[in-house]
Amino acid sequence: MGIKEETFYEGGPHIGDLIFNLFLATFVIFIPLTIGSIVRAIWLRYKITDRRISVTGGWMGKDRTDLVYSEITDALTIPRGLGFWGDMVVTLKDGSRLELRSLPRYREIYDYINERVLAKTGQPLVSVAEKAEAAATQTT
């Protein structure tokens, strides 16, 4: 029997990403972006629990990546679609990065991940503004 996990978010990318890119497909130059959003909508799934982040994707949804919170050193969010959804880049201790594209409720998910990282490592994630401020004080 597996370890019990409490799921915070489970689902795919935000539907607005697909709708927006389908609208852009009326312009021929945006067709590759539209194909990418269709593939994400069909096969990409996120599961964020109190123990890990799991991303299932790739061709036919056969690739799976699991991250535990103790390995995360940094996470950055970028709003998309007027702030209704966003992208997140999670950086691990070994320097590798994982992109979470078109996340719905990305601000809540970032806060949840920050709480879990703080509980596991004792150090909160540092925002981009805090990093810039720290770099500015070091150079002066």
Side-chain angles (χ1 to χ4, degrees):
M1 179 143 217
I3 298 173
K4 298 280 184 183
E5 291 181 299
E6 181 181 322
T7 302
F8 178 74
Y9 174 76
E10 186 171 9
H14 195 278
I15 190 70
D17 178 50
L18 177 63
I19 294 169
F20 181 70
N21 282 296
L22 285 173
F23 171 73
L24 286 178
T26 57
F27 305 104
V28 174
I29 196 166
F30 291 109
I31 289 176
L33 297 176
T34 303
I35 292 170
S37 69
I38 292 170
V39 169
R40 279 194 302 273
I42 294 172
W43 290 313
L44 183 63
R45 295 292 173 257
Y46 303 113
K47 184 174 183 179
I48 299 170
T49 69
D50 58 346
R51 300 182 54 85
R52 64 188 166 94
I53 300 171
S54 180
V55 180
T56 306
W59 186 251
M60 304 288 285
K62 293 183 181 180
D63 296 333
R64 181 173 165 171
T65 304
D66 289 319
L67 308 174
V68 292
Y69 293 112
S70 60
E71 292 295 315
I72 297 174
T73 60
D74 194 14
L76 302 172
T77 59
I78 300 142
R80 302 276 187 223
L82 301 174
F84 292 112
W85 66 88
D87 297 345
M88 183 181 299
V89 178
V90 178
T91 306
L92 304 179
K93 286 182 180 177
D94 65 358
S96 60
R97 293 185 173 114
L98 178 68
E99 287 186 30
L100 309 172
R101 311 251 354 212
S102 305
L103 273 175
R105 301 176 20 208
Y106 71 99
R107 290 181 187 101
E108 294 173 34
I109 291 172
Y110 175 83
D111 292 338
Y112 185 80
I113 290 172
N114 192 16
E115 290 173 10
R116 298 295 163 229
V117 169
L118 179 61
K120 295 287 182 183
T121 64
Q123 297 178 342
L125 300 174
V126 181
S127 71
V128 174
E130 291 170 345
K131 285 182 182 180
E133 186 177 304
T137 57
Q138 286 179 355
T139 58
T140 56

